[in-house]
Amino acid sequence: MSGRYPDAVDVAIVGSGPTGSAYARILSEEAPGLTIAMVEVGPTVSEPAGAHVKNIVDADLRAAAQRSSEGPGVGEATLNSPRAVAQGGRRARPGTYLLPDGDFAASGDGLPMAAMSSNVGGMGAHWTAACPRPGASERIAFLDATGELDELLSEGERLLGVTTHAFDGAPFGDLLRSRLSAAVDAGRAPSARVQRMPLAVHRREDGRLVWSGSDVVMGDATRDNPEFTLFDETLATRVIVEDGHAVGIEVRDLRTGESHEVRARYVVVAADGLRTPQLLWASGIRPDALGRYLNDQSQVVFAARITGIDDVEVAEVPGTGGTLSESSGVSWVPFTDEMPFHGQIMQLDASPIPLADDDPVVPGSIVGLGLFCAKDLQRDDRLEFSEEATDSYGLPAIRVHYSLTERDRAVIERAKEEIVALGRAVGQTLDDKPFQLPLGASLHYQGTTRMGERDDGESVVSPTSEVWGVEGLYLGGNNVIPTSTACNPTLTSVALAVKGARAIASRAAIR
C-alpha cells in the first residue's frame, strides 16, 4: 500500500457509473481472484454506495445528495421546477453541473446543456432507469453479424435488473398505451409498437419501488469480493503507458491533494462521454478519432392530461411510500428508421425534467412526453482539449464543436408535430406548442471514443472496447457506442462493458 491506495492491482477502473460497475461485476463473477481498484472523483452520496438518489425518501436528504454530486457546479441554479424549465437558459438538472460558459460552444450550435455528475454511481444515481433495446439502424451491425449483440443486451438487463412489469398495477397505464397505440402502431412491426418501457426498477418485499443504480449493477458479487475496493474522492489524472501497454493510473487524493501511482495489468476508463476522452488526451493517448463523432439526442418535450379517468378507481398500494407513485408508469414508442426518434411517456415523478405541476383533482393524470431524435454523425462534431487551459480539476479544458445538419433540423420539426399528435391522443394537451430543450439536455453523449470493427482511423476502440494501439486499456460508457441512436443508451453501454470485461477475464486467466 502507498498510503490510502494499493501500489498495484490486477485491474484499475476509473469511474463508478453503470459501465465501470459492470466491469467490476463481471470480473468479480468470472475472475474472482483478480484484485480490482475502482476510483471515483466524487463523494459517496447514497447508501449502499452508488444507489439511485431517488430512493432516498426524505426530500431534504435527497436534495443534499444531489448537491453533493454537482462537483464544481454546486450552488448553481438547477432545473428543479416547471417554471425553471419554461424560463430556459443554462441550468443543469439537479445532481449535475454544466461545462463552463463559452466551452459548450467553441463553434457551431454547441451543447449548452452539456453536463456531468461527480459522485459514486455517476449518472446512474440520477438517471431515468429507462433501458430500451436499440432497434433498426441503432444496432451495431458488426456485433449483430456475429450474433453477440442480443446476448450481451440480455446480460446487461440482468446486471441492471430490467423489467417491463414494474408498473403493472398503475391504474392509467393500459388506457394510456391503448390511446398511444391507436395513434402510432399502424404499419409498425410488433417489436416497434407502443409498449411498456423496460425499466431498471424493482419492488422490495415491503412493496416499495426502487430505482436501480450502480449498486444494483455491482451486486453482492462485487460488494462481497474481498479483492475489490472502491476509492471515492479520487481523481485519475493520467493513464500510465509503457511500450504500448497500459500499466496503471496516476491518481490524486482530493482529500489530501497527494498524488499516487497505482500499477495495474489492465486499466478501464469509464468516466463518461466527456471525461473519458479527456483523460486519454491528458495521458498522451490521442488517436485520430478521439473526441470525434460526438453525438447527442435532441429532445422535444410536451405535457398532456389523460382524460376520461375521473371514475377510474385508484387503489392504495400498501408499503409503497417513497418517491415513486403508481399512476401511469412509463410507456415506450420505439425508434424506427422511418420515424427516427424514440418516445417515452412518463408519469411526472418518473421524469428527470419537471414539465408540469400534478393535477390536484386527479393526481397522476398528467404525463410528460419526450421524443429523442437520432443525430446525423459528423466527424467534425467533436471535443477539443486545450494544451494550456485547465478545468476545475486541473485536467485539459474541454470545448465543444457541434452543429445540427439540415436533416437534424427537419427531424426535430417532425418530432414537434408528432409529439403534439401523441399529446392529443393522450387526452388534453397543456400547452399550445412543444418545447425543444437546449442541446445537450439528454445527457446521452455518445461516439467520442467510438467502437470500430477495424482500426481505420475512424474509431478509438476495438469490438472488445480495447483502445487501438494501447494493449490492456479498455473503455466503457455511452462514448463507445458507434451508431446514431435515439433510445436511452445505458443498456447498450452496459452490454458493451460486459464484452470488454469478459475479454479481460479471459486474458487474465491465460497469463
Side-chain angles (χ1 to χ4, degrees), residues 184 188 334-342 372 411 414 418 486:
V184 169
R188 287 185 171 228
F335 166 93
T336 67
D337 288 337
E338 295 73 31
M339 299 286 279
F341 26 79
H342 149 91
F372 295 80
V411 168
R414 189 175 172 193
E418 182 68 16

Side-chain angles (χ1 to χ4, degrees), residues 32 42 53 57 68 95 99 106 112 127 148 230 253 259 274 277 320 348 368 373 378 381-382 425 459 467 474:
V53 300
V57 176
S68 296
L99 280 179
W127 68 317
E148 293 178 275
L230 169 63
D253 187 340
S259 293
L274 303 179
T320 57
L348 287 180
C373 304
Q378 301 184 105
D381 287 335
R382 71 191 192 280
S459 62
V467 174
Y474 291 78

Side-chain angles (χ1 to χ4, degrees), residues 38-261:
M38 174 182 282
V39 300
E40 168 57 54
V41 68
T44 301
V45 301
S46 52
E47 178 62 35
H52 202 301
V53 300
K54 276 195 175 182
N55 300 329
I56 302 173
V57 176
D58 183 275
D60 291 335
L61 293 177
R62 186 165 62 252
Q66 291 171 326
R67 286 193 298 274
S68 296
S69 304
E70 292 168 6
V74 66
E76 298 294 329
T78 57
L79 291 171
N80 56 5
S81 71
R83 181 183 296 274
V85 175
Q87 289 173 343
R90 293 192 72 226
R91 294 188 184 186
R93 297 184 193 177
T96 72
Y97 62 96
L98 300 170
L99 280 179
D101 283 338
D103 290 351
F104 65 84
S107 66
D109 298 292
L111 293 176
M113 292 282 277
M116 298 161 279
S117 291
S118 291
N119 55 274
V120 172
M123 205 67 75
H126 309 284
W127 68 317
T128 65
C131 291
R133 290 194 176 204
S137 60
E138 294 179 307
R139 295 173 67 86
I140 302 169
F142 55 84
L143 294 183
D144 250 349
T146 62
E148 293 178 275
L149 185 57
D150 282 321
E151 188 276 329
L152 292 171
L153 291 168
S154 294
E155 188 69 348
E157 288 166 344
R158 176 180 75 90
L159 298 190
L160 287 159
V162 175
T163 179
T164 57
H165 299 292
F167 288 93
D168 278 358
F172 310 141
D174 288 342
L175 174 62
L176 174 66
R177 280 185 290 276
S178 69
R179 293 179 178 178
L180 293 170
S181 294
V184 169
D185 285 353
R188 287 185 171 228
S191 62
R193 294 172 186 166
V194 172
Q195 56 198 274
R196 292 176 173 84
M197 176 71 78
L199 294 171
V201 180
H202 66 277
R203 192 179 295 280
R204 300 193 326 187
E205 289 183 2
D206 64 4
R208 185 174 142 214
L209 287 171
V210 179
W211 299 86
S212 293
S214 288
D215 62 320
V216 172
V217 178
M218 289 186 188
D220 291 338
T222 308
R223 283 188 291 272
D224 295 343
N225 180 0
E227 305 299 340
F228 170 80
T229 310
L230 169 63
F231 300 93
D232 65 359
E233 297 184 73
T234 299
L235 174 69
T237 56
R238 182 168 64 100
V239 176
I240 305 168
V241 179
E242 296 175 357
D243 298 323
H245 295 249
V247 296
I249 57 175
E250 182 180 84
V251 300
R252 184 188 310 141
D253 187 340
L254 296 184
R255 300 175 185 178
T256 66
E258 296 177 346
S259 293
H260 303 266
E261 282 192 6

Side-chain angles (χ1 to χ4, degrees), residues 274-289:
L274 303 179
R275 288 177 289 189
T276 291
Q278 178 193 45
L279 181 58
L280 266 62
W281 178 272
S283 306
I285 304 167
R286 303 177 180 182
D288 289 344

